[in-house]
């Protein structure tokens, strides 16, 4: 069974990555020029290489460029508890391509063949973007050096502001809380059978969609108990009910309370983007369980189950023979 849980987690991850790659063909929003946000600490060679890497991944050329520096980090990330300064270095970079439809799609792009984003995952970027109020965009993320990826996220927020779509500060704070919470939970569970970051982010996206629906677009404040029921339901749907411990469950509930207090649920854009995330979860789940069924019917699995059955039969046969021997 351990093999089957590992397979399920890996398959879910593979499905999500594939979906992320194919979803980035949505029609561009012609009111936006794509924006490349480049870390201030990049050398000239790294800046050129980063821009080329992002352009190739997005299939476009000559985007507007925006330099992200320590002050950008202070503006967007420090209100959530980060301790950046105006002199902080920035290496992770992003290319933001606004689209007219399609929700949020994120691709972490290897730099010279290596993924240098060490902490934030594609799905964490995606969930955070929805919470912050980002709508319909393809986000390409990379870094010339190993780094957590915070600079790229701050760059996404800055790119929206540069195009006249300043995001709500309270929602950005909630988004940063989300990245921090989910990153820590993933780090704590990364070696557990049946766990994957994708399953957790799928569950959280479903939670946000359910909250948006049950609160009637923010007109009704959900109680902590109602939010707890939503959390439990989505954890079970994503096979995480027995993996996420009580402390982590409380962290998720507190996160969702923060998201609700930020006013995110009152935005029709949030509800729409959350629903798009939920739709992608359902599509991924269909593929996951279809492929899992195929795996269960495979020759290797049948042999594995047959060995278990043979062992059970041998045990009871030996037990029966022992009982019979006692009366002979």
């Amino acid at each position: 069974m351990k093999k089957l849980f590992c397979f399920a987690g890996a398959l879910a991850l593979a499905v999500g990555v594939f979906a992320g790659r194919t979803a980035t063909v949505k029609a561009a929003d012609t009111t936006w020029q794509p924006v490349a946000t480049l870390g201030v600490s990049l050398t000239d060679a790294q800046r050129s290489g980063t821009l080329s890497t992002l352009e190739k991944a997005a299939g476009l050329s000559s985007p507007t460029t925006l330099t992200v520096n320590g002050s950008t980090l202070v503006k967007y990330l420090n209100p959530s508890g980060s301790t950046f300064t105006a002199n902080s270095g920035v290496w992770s970079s992003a290319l933001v391509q606004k689209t007219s439809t399609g929700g949020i799609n994120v691709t972490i792009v290897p730099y010279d063949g290596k993924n240098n984003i060490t902490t934030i995952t594609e799905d964490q970027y995606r969930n955070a973007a929805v919470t912050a109020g980002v709508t319909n965009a393809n986000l390409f993320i990379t870094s010339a050096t190993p780094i957590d990826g915070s600079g790229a996220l701050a760059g996404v927020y800055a790119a929206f502001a540069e195009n006249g779509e300043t995001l709500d500060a309270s929602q950005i704070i909630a988004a940063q809380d989300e990245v921090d919470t989910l990153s820590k939970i993933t780090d704590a569970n990364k070696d557990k059978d049946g766990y994957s970051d994708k399953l957790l982010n799928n569950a959280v996206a479903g939670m946000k969609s359910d909250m948006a629906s049950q609160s009637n677009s923010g007109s009704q404040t959900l109680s902590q108990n109602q939010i707890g029921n939503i959390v439990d339901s989505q954890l079970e749907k994503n096979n995480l009910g027995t993996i996420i411990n009580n402390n982590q469950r409380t962290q998720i509930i507190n996160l969702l309370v923060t998201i609700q207090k930020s006013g995110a649920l009152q935005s029709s854009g949030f509800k729409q983007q959350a629903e798009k995330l939920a739709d992608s979860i359902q599509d991924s789940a269909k593929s996951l369980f279809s492929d899992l069924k195929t795996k269960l019917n495979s020759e290797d699995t049948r042999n594995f189950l047959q060995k278990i059955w043979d062992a059970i039969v041998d045990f009871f046969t030996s037990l029966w023979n022992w009982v019979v021997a006692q009366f002979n």
Side-chain angles (χ1 to χ4, degrees):
M1 294 304 293
K2 178 178 180 180
K3 293 181 178 178
L4 297 181
F5 281 124
C6 291
F7 169 78
L11 181 59
L13 179 62
V15 169
V17 169
F18 178 77
R21 297 297 186 269
T22 57
T24 55
V25 296
K26 301 298 181 182
D29 185 337
T30 55
T31 63
W32 261 58
Q33 174 73 13
V35 181
T37 68
L38 304 173
V40 69
S41 303
L42 297 169
T43 66
D44 289 343
Q46 289 174 335
R47 183 181 175 90
S48 176
T50 296
L51 184 57
S52 176
T53 297
L54 292 171
E55 288 178 337
K56 183 176 181 181
L60 53 83
S61 61
S62 303
T64 298
T65 59
L66 178 66
T67 298
V68 176
N69 55 29
S71 295
T72 313
L73 302 185
V74 170
K75 178 179 180 179
Y76 290 107
L77 307 187
N78 277 15
S80 64
S82 296
T83 56
F84 295 106
T85 70
N87 296 320
S88 293
V90 185
W91 290 268
S92 60
S93 305
L95 193 151
V96 182
Q97 181 184 36
K98 190 73 171 68
T99 59
S100 54
T101 60
I104 310 299
N105 305 288
V106 177
T107 303
I108 293 179
V109 186
Y111 185 91
D112 284 343
K114 182 181 179 182
N115 175 15
N116 287 323
I117 304 297
T118 61
T119 302
I120 306 176
T121 66
E122 289 181 343
D123 291 299
Q124 289 169 14
Y125 276 117
R126 194 178 181 198
N127 255 320
V130 170
T131 297
V134 172
T135 58
N136 298 323
N138 297 329
L139 309 177
F140 300 87
I141 313 292
T142 196
S143 179
T145 62
I147 202 73
D148 70 340
S150 295
L153 193 53
V156 171
Y157 303 149
F160 270 75
E162 185 77 3
N163 281 275
E165 296 186 34
T166 301
L167 304 175
D168 183 87
S170 295
Q171 288 182 237
I172 290 177
I173 291 173
Q176 291 309 115
D177 186 16
E178 185 170 9
V179 169
D180 183 59
T181 299
L182 301 190
S183 295
K184 288 178 178 177
I185 292 176
T186 283
D187 187 60
N189 292 287
K190 61 185 177 182
D191 296 324
K192 288 187 179 180
D193 290 338
Y195 179 84
S196 78
D197 179 77
K198 174 160 288 296
L199 290 177
L200 176 63
N201 277 274
N202 281 349
V204 171
M207 294 168 197
K208 291 192 289 192
S209 177
D210 289 347
M211 285 178 63
S213 296
Q214 292 187 29
S215 70
N216 297 318
S217 297
S219 61
Q220 173 189 351
T221 299
L222 301 179
S223 69
Q224 189 156 325
N225 185 57
Q226 287 175 304
I227 294 175
N229 290 335
I230 290 172
V231 168
D232 292 338
S233 175
Q234 286 295 334
L235 289 177
E236 288 297 327
K237 285 182 181 180
N238 286 273
N239 299 316
L240 294 173
T242 59
I243 296 176
I244 298 300
N245 62 37
N246 287 334
N247 181 53
Q248 292 163 352
R249 174 183 178 273
T250 299
Q251 291 175 35
I252 295 171
I253 291 173
N254 290 341
L255 166 64
L256 295 177
V257 169
T258 299
I259 291 174
Q260 178 172 245
K261 287 181 177 178
S262 75
L265 301 185
Q266 298 172 8
S267 167
S268 61
F270 176 89
K271 187 175 187 299
Q272 292 170 359
Q273 298 301 304
E275 287 175 346
K276 290 181 186 297
L277 273 173
D279 288 342
S280 71
I281 293 168
Q282 293 170 9
D283 290 341
S284 295
K286 289 177 183 178
S287 299
L288 168 62
F289 290 115
S290 175
D291 288 349
L292 182 56
K293 182 178 179 181
T294 300
K295 179 68 176 180
L296 287 170
N297 289 326
S298 71
E299 191 64 33
D300 286 345
T301 302
R302 286 199 299 271
N303 289 339
F304 174 68
L305 296 176
Q306 184 64 50
K307 288 178 182 179
I308 294 177
W309 176 251
D310 290 343
I312 293 172
V313 171
D314 288 345
F315 171 76
F316 282 104
T317 299
S318 298
L319 180 62
W320 174 254
N321 289 339
W322 179 84
V323 172
V324 172
Q326 304 307 303
F327 293 93
N328 289 335

